[in-house]
Amino acid sequence: MVLTILLTALALLATAFVVVLGRAALRRGTGAPGPESVILGAVANFFDTLGIGSFAPTTAWLRFRKMTPDSFIPATLNVGHALPTMVQSAVFLVLLGVHVDPMLLVSCIVAAVAGAVVGAPLMVRAPVRVVQGIVGVALLIAAALYAMSNLDLMPIGGTAAALEPRLLWIAVAAHFVMGMLMAFGIGLYAPSLILLSLLGLDPRLAFPVMASACAFLMPTTGFRYINAERIDLRIVIGIALGGIPAVLVAAFVVKEMPIEPLRWAVVVVVLYAAALLLRAAAKKEVAAA
């Protein structure tokens, strides 16, 4: 029953999101997306479905290629990856959702959405320097998580499909904070997977939780970001067009592949992008002073 409600809500949310995004693109006269953004969306969401995450690699590439201003990155990430993530959530709910405690699943989704509602207005009003600094620090954390994963320093996790009440409240509070940070372009996947594994949840069952939390919160912030000034709709549409089929290929065709070498490559690129963002934020701070 819960899965049916969630899948129905996802379908309705995705339909509304497509309509709002399409109207905004027509109103602004947004041209066709370039092939680079489509390929970026395909690659990022392909590996996102396999568990590597999409925000950090996408941020690194956008910054490395200077495809959009730094302050545009959080909104571009949240709106561009929203539809592929909704597809990903539907896939994980169908494949694994039946095994997850409905209370844990729904509570984490609601908490993440609530956090995003609080975080989105803050991001829209935040100075460019603040956005650069936050995203730069987030990339450093992401690089550390990728490295820890490759060095087998990540928590193995348990075998539980549910959490006792005390641990459930910890998970809910943490997903509220992660929802706020998602509004600034800080990915939820790795922190959520680590937290739920530490609390004893089967890591495989963390996928429908974290994917569904993102799938509901990203359109929540996205509806606000679509009409904001700090967003590049051409890149957004390209990421979505490339990402949706890539999710389906990863989930149903490839399913699993060795990604450790790719993680090390991502570490290098992400560290480089983080250094650029933090340097830009520091320069603006010095200039302001």
Side-chain angles (χ1 to χ4, degrees):
M1 181 64 177
V2 171
L3 291 183
T4 302
I5 294 173
L6 289 176
L7 290 170
T8 302
L10 269 179
L12 294 174
L13 191 59
T15 302
F17 195 76
V18 169
V19 171
V20 173
L21 178 59
R23 286 178 176 173
L26 290 174
R27 185 171 61 252
R28 294 190 181 192
T30 304
E36 185 174 5
S37 61
V38 176
I39 294 172
L40 174 61
V43 173
N45 284 284
F46 176 85
F47 289 106
D48 187 53
T49 308
L50 299 178
I52 201 170
S54 62
F55 270 30
T58 304
T59 301
W61 189 257
L62 291 176
R63 190 62 179 79
F64 177 71
R65 293 282 294 152
K66 298 181 179 178
M67 292 175 66
T68 191
D70 293 341
S71 61
F72 286 35
I73 290 176
T76 302
L77 291 175
N78 277 277
V79 179
H81 287 297
L83 289 170
T85 303
M86 283 189 266
V87 173
Q88 193 179 137
S89 170
V91 170
F92 285 136
L93 285 173
V94 170
L95 296 180
L96 297 169
V98 69
H99 303 295
V100 184
D101 174 30
M103 179 62 71
L104 172 65
L105 179 61
V106 173
S107 298
C108 288
I109 292 173
V110 172
V113 170
V117 169
V118 174
L122 299 178
M123 199 292 294
V124 171
R125 295 194 298 266
V128 174
R129 177 175 60 83
V130 173
V131 176
Q132 288 174 322
I134 291 175
V135 176
V137 172
L139 289 178
L140 291 178
I141 295 172
L145 294 176
Y146 288 138
M148 289 172 61
S149 179
N150 281 357
L151 297 172
D152 295 324
L153 298 177
M154 299 283 274
I156 297 175
T159 58
L163 299 177
E164 62 178 78
R166 178 177 59 86
L167 299 180
L168 175 62
W169 280 110
I170 294 175
V172 169
H175 279 80
F176 176 83
V177 175
M178 287 185 266
M180 287 185 63
L181 296 176
M182 275 280 287
F184 285 87
I186 301 174
L188 178 145
Y189 271 29
S192 177
L193 177 60
I194 292 171
L195 172 71
L196 294 173
S197 298
L198 284 172
L199 295 179
L201 192 74
D202 186 332
R204 295 171 300 173
L205 301 184
F207 277 82
V209 175
M210 61 193 191
S212 298
C214 291
F216 281 95
L217 79 83
M218 289 167 75
T220 302
T221 56
F223 284 123
R224 183 184 183 96
Y225 290 160
I226 284 173
N227 295 310
E229 293 182 3
R230 297 194 304 199
I231 189 170
D232 191 323
L233 291 183
R234 288 183 72 244
I235 296 178
V236 162
I237 294 173
I239 289 175
L241 290 176
I244 293 172
V247 167
L248 298 175
V249 170
F252 295 112
V253 179
V254 178
K255 298 182 181 179
E256 188 175 343
M257 65 180 294
I259 56 176
E260 181 176 330
L262 179 65
R263 279 203 187 98
W264 284 120
V266 170
V267 167
V268 175
V269 176
V270 164
L271 285 174
Y272 176 74
L276 292 179
L277 280 164
L278 292 174
R279 186 178 68 175
K283 283 184 177 179
K284 283 185 172 59
E285 185 173 10
V286 171

